[in-house]
Amino acid sequence: MREVLKPVETAMPRAVPKRTHTMTTPQHPQSVRRFEPSQSTDGTSAITRAFTLLSRRWNGLILMALAKDPADFAQIRERVPGISDRMLAQRLQELTAIDLIAQDVRPGLSSRTRYALSPHGKAFLVPLAVLFLWAEDHLPASGSPTSDQPTTPGR
């Protein structure tokens, strides 16, 4: 014979405390950051500058290669397969010039240069990681069955 279980009524605490106040408008509206495209002196918006940075081939991969720890030139080249020495040197110079990468030159008989993310470069890892996760979820890998099908809006 099968026993039927009935729900037991107990006084369970609420999982979410009851809201006791409502949201108010901040007293200092100038401290509120709103999403408004800011223009630089040359007229480009911040998002345009960010996408320009990412659209330069190898930049994102070089930054990701330095995310774990600093590295010298050869180590970065190993972490970014397919990049030539000339291109890597050029991109490292560009990323250093815009302060995303910092160079540490160690003098000696065979001077060695180590590259590390600057504070600006570390801050850039946050949106880069989010973009990476989005791409993993929404962009099929090349050669996969869905990557050969064109995408059309609204489908």
Side-chain angles (χ1 to χ4, degrees):
M1 181 147 85
R2 195 168 157 169
E3 189 175 316
V4 178
L5 297 176
K6 294 182 181 178
V8 178
E9 303 249 348
T10 61
M12 296 292 285
R14 286 178 52 105
V16 178
K18 189 174 184 178
R19 182 177 282 184
T20 58
H21 66 281
T22 59
M23 291 183 65
T24 59
T25 306
Q27 298 299 319
H28 304 286
Q30 69 272 15
S31 66
V32 175
R33 228 177 135 161
R34 296 182 181 155
F35 181 73
E36 295 173 7
S38 62
Q39 300 289 320
S40 68
T41 56
D42 65 354
T44 59
S45 68
I47 193 71
T48 302
R49 294 189 308 273
F51 277 116
T52 300
L53 172 69
L54 280 176
S55 69
R56 303 255 337 180
R57 190 164 184 198
W58 308 109
N59 280 354
L61 295 174
I62 292 168
L63 293 170
M64 291 298 284
L66 292 171
K68 187 176 177 184
D69 55 2
D72 61 25
F73 189 91
Q75 291 169 323
I76 298 170
R77 189 180 56 228
E78 289 172 7
R79 295 176 190 176
V80 183
I83 192 169
S84 68
D85 288 355
R86 181 176 174 219
M87 183 58 66
L88 178 57
Q90 182 181 350
R91 290 295 184 254
L92 287 172
Q93 185 178 24
E94 291 169 0
L95 293 169
T96 301
I98 60 174
D99 195 30
L100 290 177
I101 292 178
Q103 286 182 336
D104 178 28
V105 181
R106 296 182 179 169
L109 246 27
S110 61
S111 64
R112 249 187 133 156
T113 303
R114 304 249 325 146
Y115 298 91
L117 292 176
S118 69
H120 293 295
K122 289 177 183 174
F124 191 67
L125 287 179
V126 174
L128 194 58
V130 172
L131 183 62
F132 173 80
L133 292 174
W134 176 86
E136 285 283 312
D137 290 343
H138 299 283
L139 296 177
S142 60
S144 68
T146 57
S147 68
D148 297 334
Q149 300 171 357
T151 58
T152 55
R155 285 194 171 183

